Amino acid sequence: MAVSPRVFPPRKRWPSTGSSISPKFADLNLVKSLLSLSQEISALKPLQCLLIQKSLSTINKSKLLAIVFEELLRNPVSTSFSPSILLCFEEMYIVFQRIKTLMEDCCNGSKMWLLMRIQPLANSFHELTLELSTLLNIFPVNELDLSQDVEELFVLVRKHCSQSKPSVDPREDSLRRDVLALLHQIKKEIVPHHLKLKQILDNLGLRDQSSCREEIECLQDEIQNQIDEKSKIDIASLIGLLRYAKCVLFGSSTTQLEPDHRRRNSLSDIAVPADFRCPISLELMRDPVVVASGQTYDRESINQWIESGHNTCPNTGQTLAHTNLIPNRALRNLLAMWCRQQRVPFETVGSNEKVSGVKATKAAFEATKMTVYFLVNKLSVSPSMEAANAVTYELRALAKTDSDSRACIAEAGAIPVLVRYLGSGVGSEHPNLQVNVVTTILDLSILEANKTRIMETDGALNGVIDVLRFGATWEAKGNAAATIFSLSGVHAYRKRLGRKTRVIKGLIDLAKDGPTNSKRDAIVTILNLAGDRETVGRLVEGGVIETVIGVINVLPEEAVTILEAVVKRGGLVAIAAAYNSIKKLGVILREGSDTARESAAASLVTICRKGGLEVVAELAAVPSIERIIWEVMGTGTMRARRKAAVLLRILRRWSAGLDTNDVVNISVMSEGRLTTMLSA
C-alpha cells in the first residue's frame, strides 16, 4: 500500500467504538474538528493495488470539504450555527471518523486478506459515501455566508456523493477468484502453476522475498485480530499459499531473521514472569495443568515426572491423591496474551493447533506439504553451502510454526539430509548453517513422533552431540543442548543419553563456560537427565556439583534445583562433593526466591542427614543460620517450611552433642510429624 503501516497503530477490528460517538464540541470548535479530520484523510495517499478508485474518490471529497470548513473558520460572521447545522456537523464528524478508520484498516492490513474482503469493503466505502450524501442533501447551505466558489464546491461534492455505486472493480474481483481457484487446486493436491502464482503476487505488489515475508506476518497478525472461526481458517489457507509461493518464486533468503526467530525454549532475552515458569523445568509453560495438590506445572514436565514413577507433588512433596491433570485455562490465556505482546510463539506442545488455536485447513496442510517437499528436494541437490544455508533457514522458519509443519518436514525425509550439515567442518566454515540445522532439528524434536525419527536416523544423535561439544557458536551449542533436553523427554531416551559420556561432558562444559543463555540450556538439560539415578553417578563423576556451585550466583534457581536432585540420588560421593556448597546454600536460603529457598532447604537436609556431624558443623558456622531458618519456616512454601523445620531440629540436636546417628534418625522420624504441625 502507498501508506506505510507505521502511519497508524494496528487495529483489532473495524470500526472502533469511538467512531460512532457524537462529539461534544460547540460551534467553531466542531468545525475545527471537522477540518482536522478531513485534512488527515486528505493527506493520505490512495491505496495501491486494490480499492484504488474508491480510496482516491474518498480522499478527493475530503479535500473539497476541507476547503468548505476552512471558509467557515475564516468568516467571522458565522460564529454561531442553527441547531440543524450543528446536527449535520455532528453526523458528519461521525462519518469522517468511520472513513478514517476504514482507511486505517485498509492501509495496515494484509493485501491478501484485503482482496478476500474486497466486496464488503467496497460496500463499506459506498455506504459511507451515501451517508455523507444524505447529510449534504439536507444540509442548509443557504444559511451559511459562503463565497460563490466555495458553495459551488459544496454542490459538486454533493453531486459526486449521490452518484456513488456499490461496485467492485472487475479486475479485483477476477483476482480474488484466481486466488480462490488456486486454493481449491491445492486442496485437491494439484501443484499451482508458477506463472499463475507470479501473476497474482505481481498484481498485489508482492514481488520479492521481503514483501512476501511481511505479508505473511500481516496475515499471522490478522488471525489474532479475528473472532470469526471461518475467517481464521481462510487466513490460515492464505498463509500456506503464500509460504509456498515465496519459496518457489523467490528462492530462499537469510538476509534477516524474523523478530521471533529464536527457538521456543531460549527466552533468556526476555524476563519471563516467575508465575509463567514451570517449577520443574523452569521454562515458560506452554500447557499449564493443575495436579491433585493444587500446584500448576507444564503438562510435558509433570507427565515426565509421573511417568518416572513419582507419586508426589514436586513442589510440596505431598502424595498425590490421583494423577489426573486439569488444564489451567485461565493461566493459559494469560500466557497466550503475554507471548503475543512479546512476539514469542505460543503453542501447546504436541497439538495440531497454531499460535492462534486454528486447526490446519486442508488447503493450508497441502500447501505446507508442497512447500516442504520443494525445500527438502532443493536441499538434497544443493550445489553450495550458501544455497543449503538459505534452504535450511526456510525449513527452520517452517518447523517453528506448528505440529503439522514439523510432521511434514520429517515425513519428507528432511532429517537425514539435515544431518549432513552437522559436522564440525561445516560449522567452522559456515557457522550460520550449523545453527540453522541444529535449530531445525530442535524444533522438529518437539513433536513426539519426531523424537523417535531423530534417535533412529543414522548420525543424527552423534551430530547433535558433536555440535554440543564442538559447535562453532554458543547459540549452536545451546540449541544442541536444548535438542538433547527435548529428546530426553522420552524415558528410554533419557537413560540412553545419560549413558553417553560425551553428552555429560558437553553439558557440563557448556554450563561451566558458556554465556548465561547457554548455561541455562545446559543446566535445564542436566536437570532432566538427573531424573535417572544411574545418570546421576556419571554427572557427579563429571563434576556437575562443582559446576553448579560455580553458576549458583548467576542462575540460583536452576543451580539449587539440580543440586537437590543430585545429592538426593548421588550417594556419599555426591554428598562429599557438595560439602563446599553449604555456605552458598545458606545464602540462597536467606536471599533466594521461594523456589530456590525450597530446593536449598531440601538439599541441606539431605546433605546433613547423609554427611555426618562435620557437615552439620559447617552449616552451623553459617552466620545467623538459625534466624534464616526461622524466616523460611515463617514465609516459605509448605515444603520449604517443612524442610527448614527439619534443618532446625538437626542443628539443635547437633548443638546438644548428640552423635550423627541420633541426629539423622530423629530428623527422619520428625519430618512426618512436622508436616502435620506446619499444616495446622
Side-chain angles (χ1 to χ4, degrees), residues 69 131 173 181 229 235 258 268 305-306 391 421 428 573 633 644:
F69 300 137
E131 288 186 33
D173 189 57
E229 195 65 26
I235 296 171
E258 297 172 13
S268 304
W305 173 266
I306 294 171
V391 175
Y421 302 98
S428 60
V573 176
M633 289 175 64

Side-chain angles (χ1 to χ4, degrees), residues 535-553:
T535 302
V536 169
R538 294 188 178 87
L539 288 169
V540 174
E541 290 174 8
V544 70
I545 292 182
E546 293 82 356
T547 300
V548 165
I549 294 172
V551 303
I552 202 167
N553 294 331

Side-chain angles (χ1 to χ4, degrees), residues 330-348:
L331 180 57
R332 191 177 189 281
N333 290 336
L334 290 174
L335 283 165
M337 289 171 58
W338 182 83
C339 286
R340 185 188 304 175
Q341 291 168 357
Q342 301 295 330
R343 295 190 65 81
V344 174
F346 180 75
E347 173 188 352
T348 302

Side-chain angles (χ1 to χ4, degrees), residues 286-303:
R286 299 288 168 177
D287 190 6
V289 293
V290 181
V291 298
S293 64
Q295 300 291 309
T296 297
Y297 302 93
D298 194 48
R299 184 184 294 274
E300 184 178 10
S301 297
I302 193 63
N303 269 335

